[in-house]
Amino acid sequence: MKTACLITSLLLTPVLTQAADIESLLEGYRSAGATTFSAARGMRLWSATSTIDGEQRACSSCHTDDPASPGRHAKTGKPIEPMAASVNSSRFSDAAKVEKWFRRNCKWTLDRECTPQEKGDLLTWLNTGQE
Amino acid sequence: MNKTLLILIAFIFGLTASIALLAGSEGHDDDDYYETRDDRDEHDDDEHDEHGSWLRGFFGSAEAAGFGAWRHDPASATYGSECGGCHIAYPPDMLPAAAWHQLMLNLDDHFGDNAELDDAATAEIDAFLTRYSDQRPVASGPVRITQTRWFRAQHHEIPVRMVTNNPGVQDFSRCDACHTRAGQGSFNEHDVRIPGYGRWDD
């Protein structure tokens, strides 16, 4: 019995660690003023288009509408691994990396930084890849 | 002394002198710059030489010294991860320091994209790029690698249909679309495979 539990918890470590990673990020956003997170809100933000410098921009421009699909950089063509943590277990494990890309991509897409609420909503949606 | 021996010595001397002159006389201007990089790269990989470049290296060409050194600098890991996420990490010697500095000051508008970094990473990469930048004197130059004199000289023969109008390439900035060994820092012409067209043979 003991052995079974040990093995199971070892096997589940990546999943549990990932859940912990996202939770610690969400905790950070809560302490910055965010309230309840909503995957539905995250999804809407993901697909919303803005017109900046005469260009239509959305997260989906590079990442596609489906976070479980691979994407491509709109200009360089560089392949981008899926964003959904459910299909790409390496996502969101590095807090500095998450913040770097939020900074770059929110500013490009929305012409401003994302709020902690928006970041939490987006991560909640990307965690499952579904509403 | 034995006449045969004298003739033999004179012959060897003459041969050595000729080789030295040959290596030294192969001048390289801006147009050949990239070819020089390729040649040095071949030398670096211990592969068969081209255009006598290994001879230039052998006789102490200044450019041969330190080629590829940027790859062994610890900061190149930072450069690769922060600047190689969307496009290849362009070799620092493709631009002069002033151009790199301009780029690093304007990461929020990086050719239409936002490539901002935190202050520490920005400073580290700026110093790194400066250290290994194109050292040749240039009054002022473009910030785009694809608009530099050497780049245009190397690619002016490529028809537009093979690049801009080619869905497999689309832009000259996508080096790795055609340069199959760009990831290893080799841009040798013989490794070029243009999507939909194959090898580029002059």
Side-chain angles (χ1 to χ4, degrees), chain B residues 16-39:
Chain B
T16 315
S18 309
I19 292 170
L21 279 170
L22 202 71
S25 71
E26 266 199 79
H28 31 80
D29 60 22
D30 283 340
D31 289 356
D32 290 338
Y33 175 70
Y34 218 18
E35 204 162 9
T36 310
R37 290 184 73 254
D38 288 348
D39 295 341

Short mmCIF file of all heavy atoms in Angstrom, two decimals, chain B residues 16-39:
data_model
loop_
_atom_site.label_atom_id
_atom_site.label_comp_id
_atom_site.label_asym_id
_atom_site.label_seq_id
_atom_site.Cartn_x
_atom_site.Cartn_y
_atom_site.Cartn_z
N THR B 16 57.21 28.48 -50.69
CA THR B 16 56.67 29.05 -49.45
C THR B 16 56.30 30.52 -49.63
O THR B 16 55.24 30.97 -49.19
CB THR B 16 57.70 28.92 -48.30
OG1 THR B 16 58.23 27.61 -48.33
CG2 THR B 16 57.05 29.18 -46.95
N ALA B 17 57.21 31.24 -50.28
CA ALA B 17 56.97 32.68 -50.52
C ALA B 17 55.73 32.88 -51.37
O ALA B 17 54.91 33.78 -51.11
CB ALA B 17 58.19 33.31 -51.16
N SER B 18 55.57 32.03 -52.39
CA SER B 18 54.41 32.16 -53.28
C SER B 18 53.12 31.92 -52.54
O SER B 18 52.15 32.65 -52.72
CB SER B 18 54.50 31.15 -54.44
OG SER B 18 55.74 31.25 -55.05
N ILE B 19 53.11 30.91 -51.71
CA ILE B 19 51.91 30.60 -50.93
C ILE B 19 51.56 31.76 -50.01
O ILE B 19 50.40 32.17 -49.91
CB ILE B 19 52.10 29.29 -50.12
CG1 ILE B 19 52.17 28.08 -51.07
CG2 ILE B 19 50.96 29.09 -49.13
CD1 ILE B 19 52.59 26.79 -50.40
N ALA B 20 52.57 32.29 -49.37
CA ALA B 20 52.37 33.42 -48.45
C ALA B 20 51.78 34.61 -49.19
O ALA B 20 50.83 35.24 -48.73
CB ALA B 20 53.68 33.80 -47.78
N LEU B 21 52.34 34.89 -50.38
CA LEU B 21 51.84 36.02 -51.18
C LEU B 21 50.41 35.79 -51.62
O LEU B 21 49.58 36.68 -51.59
CB LEU B 21 52.75 36.22 -52.40
CG LEU B 21 54.04 36.99 -52.14
CD1 LEU B 21 54.96 36.91 -53.35
CD2 LEU B 21 53.75 38.45 -51.82
N LEU B 22 50.15 34.58 -52.01
CA LEU B 22 48.81 34.21 -52.50
C LEU B 22 47.77 34.40 -51.40
O LEU B 22 46.71 34.97 -51.62
CB LEU B 22 48.84 32.73 -52.94
CG LEU B 22 47.76 32.31 -53.94
CD1 LEU B 22 48.06 32.91 -55.29
CD2 LEU B 22 47.73 30.80 -54.06
N ALA B 23 48.11 33.93 -50.21
CA ALA B 23 47.18 34.05 -49.08
C ALA B 23 46.95 35.51 -48.74
O ALA B 23 45.83 35.94 -48.50
CB ALA B 23 47.73 33.30 -47.88
N GLY B 24 48.04 36.27 -48.76
CA GLY B 24 47.94 37.68 -48.38
C GLY B 24 47.24 38.52 -49.43
O GLY B 24 46.56 39.49 -49.11
N SER B 25 47.37 38.13 -50.68
CA SER B 25 46.84 38.97 -51.75
C SER B 25 45.34 38.79 -51.95
O SER B 25 44.72 39.57 -52.63
CB SER B 25 47.56 38.65 -53.07
OG SER B 25 47.16 37.38 -53.53
N GLU B 26 44.77 37.77 -51.36
CA GLU B 26 43.32 37.60 -51.52
C GLU B 26 42.60 38.61 -50.65
O GLU B 26 42.23 38.34 -49.53
CB GLU B 26 42.91 36.18 -51.12
CG GLU B 26 42.85 35.23 -52.29
CD GLU B 26 42.03 34.00 -51.97
OE1 GLU B 26 40.79 34.05 -52.00
OE2 GLU B 26 42.66 32.97 -51.66
N GLY B 27 42.47 39.78 -51.19
CA GLY B 27 41.83 40.85 -50.41
C GLY B 27 40.36 40.57 -50.20
O GLY B 27 39.76 39.83 -50.97
N HIS B 28 39.78 41.11 -49.19
CA HIS B 28 38.35 40.96 -49.01
C HIS B 28 37.74 42.29 -48.64
O HIS B 28 38.05 42.88 -47.63
CB HIS B 28 38.02 39.91 -47.95
CG HIS B 28 39.03 39.80 -46.85
ND1 HIS B 28 39.08 40.65 -45.80
CD2 HIS B 28 40.04 38.92 -46.65
CE1 HIS B 28 40.07 40.31 -45.00
NE2 HIS B 28 40.66 39.26 -45.48
N ASP B 29 36.89 42.77 -49.52
CA ASP B 29 36.18 44.01 -49.21
C ASP B 29 34.82 43.67 -48.60
O ASP B 29 34.56 42.51 -48.33
CB ASP B 29 36.03 44.88 -50.47
CG ASP B 29 35.25 44.16 -51.57
OD1 ASP B 29 34.50 43.21 -51.27
OD2 ASP B 29 35.42 44.54 -52.74
N ASP B 30 34.02 44.66 -48.43
CA ASP B 30 32.72 44.46 -47.80
C ASP B 30 31.90 43.39 -48.51
O ASP B 30 31.20 42.62 -47.89
CB ASP B 30 31.92 45.78 -47.82
CG ASP B 30 32.43 46.73 -46.74
OD1 ASP B 30 33.08 46.25 -45.81
OD2 ASP B 30 32.19 47.94 -46.87
N ASP B 31 32.00 43.38 -49.83
CA ASP B 31 31.19 42.45 -50.60
C ASP B 31 31.55 41.01 -50.31
O ASP B 31 30.71 40.12 -50.41
CB ASP B 31 31.37 42.72 -52.10
CG ASP B 31 30.71 44.03 -52.51
OD1 ASP B 31 30.06 44.65 -51.65
OD2 ASP B 31 30.84 44.43 -53.67
N ASP B 32 32.81 40.78 -49.99
CA ASP B 32 33.25 39.41 -49.73
C ASP B 32 33.17 39.07 -48.26
O ASP B 32 33.50 37.98 -47.88
CB ASP B 32 34.71 39.22 -50.18
CG ASP B 32 34.83 39.25 -51.70
OD1 ASP B 32 33.82 39.00 -52.36
OD2 ASP B 32 35.92 39.53 -52.18
N TYR B 33 32.70 40.05 -47.46
CA TYR B 33 32.78 39.84 -46.00
C TYR B 33 32.12 38.54 -45.58
O TYR B 33 32.67 37.77 -44.83
CB TYR B 33 32.15 41.02 -45.27
CG TYR B 33 32.10 40.80 -43.79
CD1 TYR B 33 33.27 40.81 -43.04
CD2 TYR B 33 30.91 40.52 -43.13
CE1 TYR B 33 33.24 40.58 -41.68
CE2 TYR B 33 30.88 40.29 -41.77
CZ TYR B 33 32.04 40.33 -41.05
OH TYR B 33 32.01 40.10 -39.70
N TYR B 34 30.94 38.33 -46.09
CA TYR B 34 30.22 37.15 -45.64
C TYR B 34 30.91 35.89 -46.08
O TYR B 34 30.90 34.90 -45.38
CB TYR B 34 28.79 37.19 -46.16
CG TYR B 34 27.85 36.65 -45.13
CD1 TYR B 34 28.24 36.54 -43.80
CD2 TYR B 34 26.58 36.24 -45.45
CE1 TYR B 34 27.39 36.06 -42.84
CE2 TYR B 34 25.72 35.76 -44.51
CZ TYR B 34 26.14 35.67 -43.20
OH TYR B 34 25.28 35.19 -42.26
N GLU B 35 31.50 35.94 -47.27
CA GLU B 35 32.23 34.79 -47.76
C GLU B 35 33.38 34.49 -46.80
O GLU B 35 33.69 33.36 -46.52
CB GLU B 35 32.76 35.08 -49.16
CG GLU B 35 33.01 33.82 -49.95
CD GLU B 35 33.09 34.11 -51.43
OE1 GLU B 35 33.13 35.27 -51.81
OE2 GLU B 35 33.11 33.15 -52.20
N THR B 36 33.97 35.57 -46.30
CA THR B 36 35.05 35.39 -45.33
C THR B 36 34.54 34.67 -44.11
O THR B 36 35.18 33.77 -43.59
CB THR B 36 35.63 36.75 -44.92
OG1 THR B 36 35.92 37.50 -46.09
CG2 THR B 36 36.88 36.57 -44.09
N ARG B 37 33.36 35.06 -43.64
CA ARG B 37 32.78 34.40 -42.47
C ARG B 37 32.56 32.93 -42.76
O ARG B 37 32.85 32.08 -41.94
CB ARG B 37 31.47 35.06 -42.06
CG ARG B 37 31.65 36.43 -41.48
CD ARG B 37 30.34 36.99 -41.01
NE ARG B 37 29.86 36.35 -39.80
CZ ARG B 37 28.86 35.50 -39.75
NH1 ARG B 37 28.21 35.17 -40.82
NH2 ARG B 37 28.49 34.96 -38.60
N ASP B 38 32.04 32.64 -43.93
CA ASP B 38 31.80 31.25 -44.28
C ASP B 38 33.09 30.45 -44.28
O ASP B 38 33.15 29.35 -43.78
CB ASP B 38 31.19 31.15 -45.69
CG ASP B 38 29.77 31.62 -45.69
OD1 ASP B 38 29.20 31.79 -44.61
OD2 ASP B 38 29.23 31.82 -46.78
N ASP B 39 34.13 31.06 -44.89
CA ASP B 39 35.40 30.37 -44.99
C ASP B 39 35.97 30.09 -43.62
O ASP B 39 36.48 29.01 -43.35
CB ASP B 39 36.40 31.22 -45.79
CG ASP B 39 35.94 31.37 -47.24
OD1 ASP B 39 35.11 30.57 -47.67
OD2 ASP B 39 36.42 32.30 -47.91
#
